[in-house]
Amino acid sequence: MTTTLRRAATVALRSPLVRVAGTLLAVVLLLHSIDLAKAAHGLRDANVGWATLGVVLTALSLIGSVVEWGVLLRGTGHRFSWSALSAWYLEGLFVGQVLPAGVGGDALRAVEVGKVTGHGHALASLAGSRMAGTLGMAFWGVAGAVMLRAWLGPFWLAGACAFAAAMIVAWVLALGADRVVRRLHGNACPIRRRIHRVLHPFTGAFRGYRARPRMLMQCMLVGAAGWGVNLCALMVFSRAVGADVSWTLFAVAIPITLLATLTPFSLNGVGLREGVLVGLLAHAGVSSGHAGALSILIDLQMVPFALLGAVFWMRRRRGRAEAAALAASAAAAELVPGPAPTGLVAVPAPTGLVAVPA
């Protein structure tokens, strides 16, 4: 009976209808918990100068994300141009906003980069850049929790430290995973040999990162700096709507809200992450109207960059369609016989037409 219930729960959580229903429920609860009139008023009267500065800082944060990804790729001998990496990153941002699964953008980048480097190196570069950014987020979270320890208490400080420690352990395991996977090479068990064949390119890429500590440190420093710029952008957005929230609160609150994107019963955590952020801000003394306006503005900050990614994505698809059309036209031209050369006439022959001088 327990096994049957467990299977039923697994199937239900994987159902798109359940995720849509969970998202709608979360949005309804969010709208019920905030003052919509004040939130709309806050968005309407938002300071354009502060909002523009927030968008600029968000752009700098995205550039940092591209750089930390590119450092791992270019530092291991793959000469990608920064313009190509930026275009792929923005395209992935667009796809991640459109598809219901948060990994859609990473999948697009893995496919494009994997055509050149192989999918093992492509996945490793994405995982490494994500881990570098998350490690930076964890350290900023510890700093924020330390500065707010009198208000948060020891529990939240311990949680932030545990998060940072978990990321350090994850890096240690990733950098040393090749030593375990190599033992499966030449094993008599076919399953273990298959595991080695699948995982070896991925863990081998991390072995290359381990052999380049300076490159790895650059990636981590860029990730930490990028997250710090992102916290400044959030603080500026809060000033735009009149909330004036400190970066320390965002450093603690945003990692918690990002956990909502991992819930299996919602689409990318829509409604849940905003609700968690509104609850944390309200607990800090921010009014529900300002908290609601701020959560909406934080969601909207990525829209201009996702639209730019859509432009790159459509241009690339159009270029591929035109290249395919030209290739098909060239192939058709080779199959269709052209007119006889000038000065020659076509006469019947047993095997077909033969051109002879006129």
Side-chain angles (χ1 to χ4, degrees), residues 17-341:
L17 295 178
V18 173
R19 302 182 71 180
V20 170
T23 301
L24 292 177
L25 179 61
V27 171
V28 170
L29 292 177
L30 173 64
L31 295 177
H32 181 72
S33 62
I34 64 176
D35 191 330
L36 290 178
K38 290 184 178 180
H41 182 77
L43 289 174
R44 184 190 62 192
D45 297 336
N47 187 286
V48 177
W50 284 115
T52 303
L53 179 59
V55 172
V56 172
L57 291 174
T58 301
L60 293 177
S61 176
L62 292 178
I63 291 174
S65 298
V66 174
V67 170
E68 72 183 37
W69 179 38
V71 163
L72 296 179
L73 287 172
R74 292 166 60 91
T76 51
H78 304 291
R79 294 301 175 185
F80 291 100
S81 66
W82 289 111
S83 59
L85 292 175
S86 300
W88 286 332
Y89 189 90
L90 290 174
E91 290 177 23
L93 186 63
F94 162 68
V95 173
Q97 296 292 322
V98 173
L99 293 181
V103 297
D106 287 343
L108 182 144
R109 290 193 285 159
V111 169
E112 295 300 327
V113 174
K115 295 176 182 178
V116 180
T117 66
H119 294 299
H121 284 276
L123 292 174
S125 67
L126 291 172
S129 63
R130 289 285 190 181
M131 291 169 62
T134 307
L135 182 62
M137 180 197 304
F139 283 143
W140 280 104
V142 171
V146 168
M147 297 186 69
L148 296 176
R149 62 185 181 278
W151 175 64
L152 293 175
F155 175 78
W156 290 101
L157 179 58
C161 294
F163 180 37
M167 289 308 307
I168 294 175
V169 171
W171 265 111
V172 172
L173 293 177
L175 294 175
D178 67 293
R179 296 170 179 170
V180 178
V181 173
R182 276 186 298 176
R183 296 178 182 177
L184 302 178
H185 180 63
N187 196 283
C189 178
I191 296 178
R192 294 185 178 181
R193 291 200 304 270
R194 185 177 302 174
I195 294 175
H196 173 269
R197 186 167 58 253
V198 172
L199 295 181
H200 177 66
F202 181 79
T203 57
F206 273 97
R207 182 178 68 247
Y209 301 161
R210 189 179 70 232
R212 298 171 175 85
R214 181 178 298 179
M215 178 200 71
L216 201 59
M217 186 59 63
Q218 289 176 352
C219 178
M220 293 181 180
L221 290 177
V222 171
W227 186 249
V229 173
N230 193 23
L231 291 176
C232 291
L234 298 177
M235 185 172 60
V236 168
F237 282 128
S238 71
R239 292 189 177 183
V241 297
D244 198 14
V245 181
S246 67
W247 68 266
T248 53
L249 182 57
F250 282 120
V252 176
I254 296 300
I256 299 174
T257 63
L258 292 179
L259 292 176
T261 62
L262 304 178
T263 55
F265 50 84
S266 68
L267 301 176
N268 287 352
V270 174
L272 290 177
R273 62 172 181 261
E274 291 82 2
V276 172
L277 180 60
V278 168
L280 292 173
L281 292 176
H283 183 67
V286 180
S287 66
S288 62
H290 284 145
L294 181 56
S295 64
I296 295 173
L297 193 58
I298 290 175
D299 282 344
L300 294 178
Q301 68 174 325
M302 291 299 179
V303 171
F305 308 102
L307 293 178
L308 183 58
V311 172
F312 285 126
W313 183 72
M314 289 187 290
R315 179 188 297 178
R316 185 162 57 85
R317 284 181 60 88
R318 187 181 302 113
R320 288 182 177 179
E322 291 176 355
L326 289 175
S329 300
E334 293 178 358
L335 295 176
V336 177

